[in-house]
Amino acid sequence: MKIIMLGAPGAGKGTQAEKVAQALHVPTISTGFIIRQAIAAQTELGKTAKDFIDKGQLVPDDVVIQILFERIAQDDCKNGFVLDGFPRTIPQAQALVDAGVHIDKVLSIEVSDEKILERLSGRRECANCGKTYHMVYNKPQTEGKCDSCGGKLICRADDNPETIKSRLAVYHKQTEPLIQFYKGMGILVYAHSQEKVEDTTKEAFKALGVAL
C-alpha cells in the first residue's frame, strides 16, 4: 500500500505512520528527515535545499518534490511506503498525480488545536534516525535514547507555544485544503487522535483496512 498521513503538527501522524509502516513492512518517509539526509550527504539537491534553509526560507516545492521522488524510486519502496509530511500543499499533491504516483489511502488524523498545544512540549525526535517519541504518550524504553538506533533524543526548536501557533496557522491555510482534494479523489479516511497511542492506532488501522 501507498499511504499519505495528514494531520496538524503534533497530531501524532509520525507515530502512526511508523506503526502502519511496520505492519505493512514498508518504509516511512518523512520529508523533513530526507531533506536533512540530502543536506548531510551533500547531494546537489541537498546543497540547494540548504541554501534556502540558511536564508530562513522554505525549501521550494520543486526541490522537495525532486528529493522525494529520488527516495520513493529506491528498492525498499517497491511494495509501498507511508508518506509523513508530504504533500503539504495542493501543488505538491498535484505533482504526485502528474508523476503517476498511485496513492491507495490518505489518512487524516483529527485533533483540536488546544490539544496540540498541550502535547507538543513533550515531543522528542531521534537526532540520528528521525524516529519520534513523546514523554507521556510514546516513551522510549531508555530515557533520552532511541529504541531503534540508540541515538540521542532531542526537543525540536520549533516546539515552543508561539512557534506552534504559527505552524498551526500555516497548516490550516496550506494543508487543510488537501482534505478536500483527496476527498474528491475518494481515497480520504479519518481517525480521531486519542489520549492513548494504541487507541489512535486501532482507529487508524481500521480506517485504512490494515490488520492489527
Side-chain angles (χ1 to χ4, degrees), residues 86-155:
F86 187 96
R88 290 185 187 272
T89 63
I90 296 292
Q92 289 181 354
Q94 191 60 52
L96 285 175
V97 174
D98 294 345
V101 178
H102 173 77
I103 301 297
D104 296 292
K105 296 276 185 183
V106 177
L107 177 67
S108 177
I109 298 181
E110 304 288 295
V111 62
S112 70
D113 287 4
E114 291 76 18
K115 180 60 73 176
I116 284 168
L117 281 164
E118 187 182 298
R119 284 180 179 176
L120 284 184
S121 59
R123 190 162 72 168
R124 299 292 182 272
E125 182 179 80
C126 177
N128 185 43
C129 74
K131 187 172 181 178
T132 55
Y133 296 88
H134 195 280
M135 295 301 95
V136 176
Y137 303 111
N138 184 31
K139 292 181 181 179
Q141 292 172 7
T142 303
E143 189 174 343
K145 284 191 175 183
C146 177
D147 296 344
S148 295
C149 71
K152 183 182 178 182
L153 300 187
I154 58 170
C155 182

Side-chain angles (χ1 to χ4, degrees), residues 145-175:
K145 284 191 175 183
C146 177
D147 296 344
S148 295
C149 71
K152 183 182 178 182
L153 300 187
I154 58 170
C155 182
R156 286 166 31 166
D158 53 3
D159 280 348
N160 69 70
E162 288 311 308
T163 306
I164 293 162
K165 287 176 185 175
S166 174
R167 289 167 64 206
L168 284 169
V170 171
Y171 170 77
H172 291 308
K173 182 180 178 182
Q174 288 191 346
T175 311

